[in-house]
Amino acid sequence: MLLFTPGPTPVPESVRLAMATPTLHHRTPEFETIFEETRTLLFKLFHSDEVIMMACSGTGAMESAVTNLCHDTLLSVNSGKFGERFGKIALATGLKNDEIKHDWDVPVSVEEILSALKANPAIDAIAIQLSESAGGLRHPVEEIAKAVKALYPHIMMIADGITAVGVEPIDVCNIDCLIAGSQKALMLPPGLAILGLSNGAISKIGKGKGYYLNLASEIKKQKQNTTAYTAATTLIIGLRAILQEIDNVGGIEKLYDETARRAKATRQALEALGLHSYPQSPALSMTTIDSPYAKEIRDILKIDFDVNVAGGQDHLKGKIFRINQMGLIAPYEMVWVVNAVELALAKIGERAFDGTASRVFNEVYFNTILGKN
Ligand SMILES: *Cc1c(COP(=O)(O)O)cnc(C)c1O
């Protein structure tokens, strides 16, 4: 079965093998060396002033960011399940939440954020997804962060990059906290989250909030290449291995370039079949299609072609399907997927098969080789 869900994503063989070594004790010089090397590689990926690894899923990092960086009112952007989660975290931890709510295909604008800030001076942090995985939507986070910091430098910008870090370059110069999770773009099993922090964030954190999710305790320890509590040793060994693997196969810029080309080629191939791309501003992390046949297409992909793509949640259940673009994905696998979608449409009786999807995918993906633009 080809796993094409936007998280979890497939783990490359070199990484699986690296994680097959015997368990190391976390309070040893051997593990501290691995930790230090992993930190160095993470700084290259995040470009932030500090990086912290936490043994929890992505939501744990979201909670630690909100509780440590917001002390009064959070402004959250709800264009899907993950944005909604930031608001729920604020309320569950005794903070106030101000929410901008949209349909799951609609990105928030800079103007909406600025007017929400003007209306409520108690807002001291903003939490938003770079890529909202519920509908495959990209929010203009860097533009928002720039505009916010120009007017309100004290407001903390928390960016959920769980389906963005490792997918595309992210300008962190106005972002105080950038969150990543192991099982999405970082191609690892679930259970490890990473936060990139600015110096501004570190000074606001001060002594930190909470106990396990207290970022001050982790910052102090991780600067010394250890963790406050037992480290997720195996996942950190895996993280070092995947970051080394990315370097070995040509570096992160090459991965960004291939991901962008593959996402564009997939979207155009499916649009050429008459399918519709759901989000108004598609993220590169996944290709999201809304179709009355979404459920039938997903079932045929799985049963006839051994391809597992994700469906929708809540009101989008049975209405969309999402094809992962995160990670090291061979283009021939994606050709198989778009071709399978075309065959599925033929089986449903929607459109006669003529090979359009794979032709368009190849033309767009390989356009530089083919000498077009
Ligand atoms: C998956 C995901 C999360 C939640 O991460 P968990 O690891 O499931 O806790 C948060 N934000 C986004 C954008 C995601 O895709």
Side-chain angles (χ1 to χ4, degrees), residues 1-2 4 301 304-308 330-343 357-358 361-362:
M1 182 72 78
L2 288 176
F4 265 93
L301 289 183
D304 294 3
F305 301 102
D306 271 341
V307 173
N308 187 2
Y332 57 79
E333 286 192 351
M334 197 57 81
V335 175
W336 174 263
V337 175
V338 296
N339 188 58
V341 172
E342 183 171 348
L343 287 164
S358 36
F361 181 93
N362 281 306

Side-chain angles (χ1 to χ4, degrees), residues 6 57-60 62 82 85 129 131-133 160 162-163 183-184:
S57 88
T59 306
M62 291 166 76
F82 297 106
R85 187 170 300 177
Q129 275 58 41
S131 153
E132 168 54 83
S133 314
D160 170 356
I162 292 175
T163 52
Q183 80 277 25
K184 306 272 174 84

Side-chain angles (χ1 to χ4, degrees), residues 190-239:
L192 188 74
I194 302 142
L195 298 100
L197 298 167
S198 71
N199 286 330
I202 294 168
S203 48
K204 181 154 183 188
I205 289 164
K207 290 193 166 63
K209 288 273 165 64
Y211 191 80
Y212 185 72
L213 297 178
N214 186 314
L215 289 176
S217 333
E218 290 298 343
I219 292 167
K220 185 170 162 226
K221 289 289 182 183
Q222 298 199 16
K223 277 185 188 302
Q224 300 158 32
N225 298 313
T226 186
T227 48
Y229 313 106
T230 305
T233 48
T234 304
L235 285 169
I236 291 171
I237 289 168
L239 179 57

Side-chain angles (χ1 to χ4, degrees), residues 20-342:
T21 49
T23 302
L24 277 178
H25 195 284
H26 56 290
R27 307 283 180 212
T28 54
E30 293 92 313
F31 185 68
E32 282 171 21
T33 304
I34 293 170
F35 196 90
E36 185 176 7
E37 287 171 11
T38 311
R39 259 171 77 78
T40 305
L41 290 162
L42 280 176
F43 276 115
K44 271 175 52 192
L45 179 66
F46 277 71
H47 301 288
S48 51
D49 297 320
E50 186 52 86
V51 289
I52 296 298
M53 291 171 254
M54 309 270 287
C56 56
S57 88
T59 306
M62 291 166 76
E63 179 164 337
S64 71
V66 169
T67 54
N68 285 270
L69 293 172
C70 178
H71 296 164
D72 188 320
T73 304
L74 183 72
L75 175 62
S76 58
V77 176
N78 175 355
S79 293
K81 269 199 115 52
F82 297 106
E84 178 186 43
R85 187 170 300 177
F86 269 131
K88 287 184 171 174
I89 290 170
L91 296 176
T93 56
L95 297 161
K96 281 169 277 178
N97 182 52
D98 208 335
E99 183 180 85
I100 299 175
K101 194 169 177 179
H102 281 307
D103 285 339
W104 291 12
D105 57 343
V106 182
V108 74
S109 69
V110 175
E111 295 71 33
E112 284 174 286
I113 296 277
L114 293 181
S115 59
L117 296 180
K118 207 168 173 189
N120 188 351
I123 293 167
D124 65 328
I126 301 174
I128 183 169
Q129 275 58 41
L130 281 147
S131 153
E132 168 54 83
S133 314
L137 178 75
R138 180 68 158 89
H139 285 299
V141 176
E142 296 91 333
E143 291 92 316
I144 290 168
K146 189 171 178 215
V148 168
K149 287 291 179 182
L151 293 169
Y152 311 94
H154 69 285
I155 293 184
M156 290 286 118
M157 280 299 314
I158 302 168
D160 170 356
I162 292 175
T163 52
V165 176
V167 170
E168 54 174 318
I170 297 157
D171 177 4
V172 291
C173 68
N174 296 297
I175 292 175
D176 295 293
C177 177
L178 177 63
I179 301 168
S182 54
Q183 80 277 25
K184 306 272 174 84
L186 296 177
M187 298 168 258
L188 293 167
L192 188 74
I194 302 142
L195 298 100
L197 298 167
S198 71
N199 286 330
I202 294 168
S203 48
K204 181 154 183 188
I205 289 164
K207 290 193 166 63
K209 288 273 165 64
Y211 191 80
Y212 185 72
L213 297 178
N214 186 314
L215 289 176
S217 333
E218 290 298 343
I219 292 167
K220 185 170 162 226
K221 289 289 182 183
Q222 298 199 16
K223 277 185 188 302
Q224 300 158 32
N225 298 313
T226 186
T227 48
Y229 313 106
T230 305
T233 48
T234 304
L235 285 169
I236 291 171
I237 289 168
L239 179 57
R240 181 181 65 164
I242 188 65
L243 296 173
Q244 288 168 341
E245 173 76 14
I246 292 170
D247 277 347
N248 291 342
V249 296
I252 193 76
E253 297 301 329
K254 178 158 176 270
L255 175 57
Y256 293 152
D257 174 63
E258 286 175 357
T259 305
R261 279 162 53 215
R262 196 178 54 249
K264 182 178 171 196
T266 306
R267 182 165 49 79
Q268 293 193 6
L270 298 183
E271 285 173 346
L273 300 176
L275 291 169
H276 178 250
S277 167
Y278 172 70
Q280 290 177 11
S281 55
L284 295 173
S285 54
M286 65 197 77
T287 308
T288 306
I289 298 292
D290 57 315
S291 160
Y293 306 108
K295 189 188 175 318
E296 286 90 331
I297 293 170
R298 262 187 85 204
D299 289 346
I300 295 171
L301 289 183
K302 194 175 252 175
I303 293 160
D304 294 3
F305 301 102
D306 271 341
V307 173
N308 187 2
V309 301
Q313 293 164 292
D314 296 358
H315 64 289
L316 293 183
K317 198 170 190 314
K319 302 220 164 88
I320 61 167
F321 62 93
R322 294 172 295 154
I323 302 172
N324 176 50
Q325 299 292 351
M326 294 176 280
L328 296 160
I329 299 172
Y332 57 79
E333 286 192 351
M334 197 57 81
V335 175
W336 174 263
V337 175
V338 296
N339 188 58
V341 172
E342 183 171 348

